[in-house]
Amino acid sequence: MKSRIETDGYGRKKVIDACMEPCAIERGMRIIGGKWTGSLIYHLKDGPVRFNDLNRLLGGATKKMIDQRLKALEARGMVLRTVINDRPIAVTYELTELGRSALDILEDLRLWSEKYDIR
Amino acid sequence: MKSRIETDGYGRKKVIDACMEPCAIERGMRIIGGKWTGSLIYHLKDGPVRFNDLNRLLGGATKKMIDQRLKALEARGMVLRTVINDRPIAVTYELTELGRSALDILEDLRLWSEKYDIR
DNA sequence: TATTTCAGGTATACTATTTATACCTGTTGG
DNA sequence: CCAACAGGTATAAATAGTATACCTGAAATA
């Protein structure tokens, strides 16, 4: 972010070099901030989880949503999909190294959310 | 989160006590994860900023979006709106203590986003 | 003086994302 | 045989976000 702000002595601030593309925070949020994405990643923190279990863990999200999010995260290299069995089909999803790198942020968010009793 | 997961020896995990409401991470994301909300808060980190400057700082967001986000954040006690002048009207927005409490998370997100070159 | 510019928004219409609900193929348990 | 589970997909409706134009009033510009 090269944009800056200058103060004019009245407690006001004026922008100097507005950023015309989404800034780093905005870009980050578009990856882990989408609805359900954060909890999805967080629920994978302890290892591989199956599709329907993720669906149950994220009470409220539909299968379609879970599916979309997982595909988007897989496309970004944050999640790995593995078929562990045909007949009966069984699939697990787990975090990659990049996926795991986001866990600290999510853990802090969880603590913040609980500390301030965010509803 | 009282939900847990158990392993069955095949690298798979099964959910034991699914959470039926959005968990803490999901609730937190719904406050600071909405589109533009994170950058909006972040751009207020150094003190009061005026409406139109926020609009310029967040290249891409419309005034309507900025307005909605600010109102939502104000309603949650994260942002304070102050009219500093009638005739010519002038308004500033600034973070409350609660608003400031989210800055660490956002700063970490920014660093993560830059480190892994998230686009 | 007339016109433009800025402040801080609101109104309208449109597009995109998310949700609810049902359904599909195949396997296993009763 | 029938129901339940696996891992999804299809369709439609509701919600969220975008683009564009406009409003009131004051001040700066031509």
Side-chain angles (χ1 to χ4, degrees):
Chain A
M1 287 201 227
K2 54 183 187 150
S3 66
R4 50 211 167 83
I5 275 182
E6 283 181 3
T7 310
D8 73 351
Y10 294 104
R12 305 172 239 161
K13 311 261 174 172
K14 290 226 95 182
V15 63
I16 297 303
D17 196 0
C19 48
M20 290 318 288
E21 309 89 49
C23 64
I25 290 189
E26 202 52 42
R27 296 198 313 273
M29 276 302 188
R30 287 182 193 178
I31 307 311
I32 64 167
K35 213 160 180 179
W36 304 112
T37 309
S39 1
L40 197 45
I41 295 171
Y42 191 75
H43 280 106
L44 291 174
K45 71 177 159 42
D46 299 317
V49 184
R50 287 158 156 254
F51 181 86
N52 279 321
D53 285 338
L54 284 170
N55 190 211
R56 277 185 282 266
L57 283 165
L58 273 68
T62 60
K63 287 180 168 190
K64 185 179 183 180
M65 190 56 18
I66 308 276
D67 184 58
Q68 277 184 13
R69 293 319 195 202
L70 285 172
K71 278 180 177 146
L73 289 170
E74 202 191 352
R76 286 209 160 263
M78 298 190 67
V79 156
L80 181 68
R81 178 184 187 271
T82 312
V83 176
I84 56 173
N85 249 311
D86 294 335
R87 275 184 310 285
I89 184 153
V91 178
T92 60
Y93 291 89
E94 67 194 294
L95 295 178
T96 61
E97 202 51 43
L98 177 59
R100 249 185 303 283
S101 72
L103 285 175
D104 286 350
I105 296 168
L106 295 174
E107 179 65 19
D108 287 350
L109 177 61
R110 186 178 70 77
L111 292 171
W112 177 78
S113 189
E114 285 175 357
K115 176 171 180 184
Y116 294 98
D117 197 31
I118 302 294
R119 302 259 134 254
Chain B
M1 289 201 225
K2 54 181 184 145
S3 66
R4 36 204 181 94
I5 275 183
E6 282 181 4
T7 310
D8 73 351
Y10 294 102
R12 306 172 236 161
K13 311 264 172 169
K14 289 227 93 184
V15 64
I16 298 302
D17 197 358
C19 46
M20 290 319 288
E21 308 90 49
C23 65
I25 290 190
E26 201 52 42
R27 296 198 312 273
M29 277 301 188
R30 289 187 190 174
I31 307 312
I32 63 167
K35 212 160 182 179
W36 304 112
T37 310
S39 2
L40 198 45
I41 295 172
Y42 192 74
H43 281 106
L44 292 174
K45 72 178 159 37
D46 300 315
V49 183
R50 284 158 158 255
F51 181 85
N52 278 322
D53 286 340
L54 284 170
N55 190 210
R56 278 185 281 267
L57 283 165
L58 273 68
T62 61
K63 286 180 169 189
K64 185 179 181 180
M65 191 55 17
I66 308 276
D67 184 58
Q68 278 185 12
R69 295 317 196 201
L70 285 171
K71 278 180 178 145
L73 289 170
E74 202 191 354
R76 286 207 161 264
M78 298 192 64
V79 157
L80 182 68
R81 177 184 188 272
T82 312
V83 176
I84 57 175
N85 248 310
D86 293 335
R87 280 184 307 286
I89 183 153
V91 179
T92 60
Y93 291 89
E94 66 193 294
L95 294 178
T96 61
E97 201 52 43
L98 177 58
R100 248 185 302 283
S101 72
L103 284 175
D104 286 350
I105 296 168
L106 295 173
E107 180 63 20
D108 287 349
L109 177 61
R110 186 178 71 75
L111 293 172
W112 178 79
S113 191
E114 286 175 355
K115 176 170 180 184
Y116 294 98
D117 196 33
I118 302 295
R119 304 257 136 252

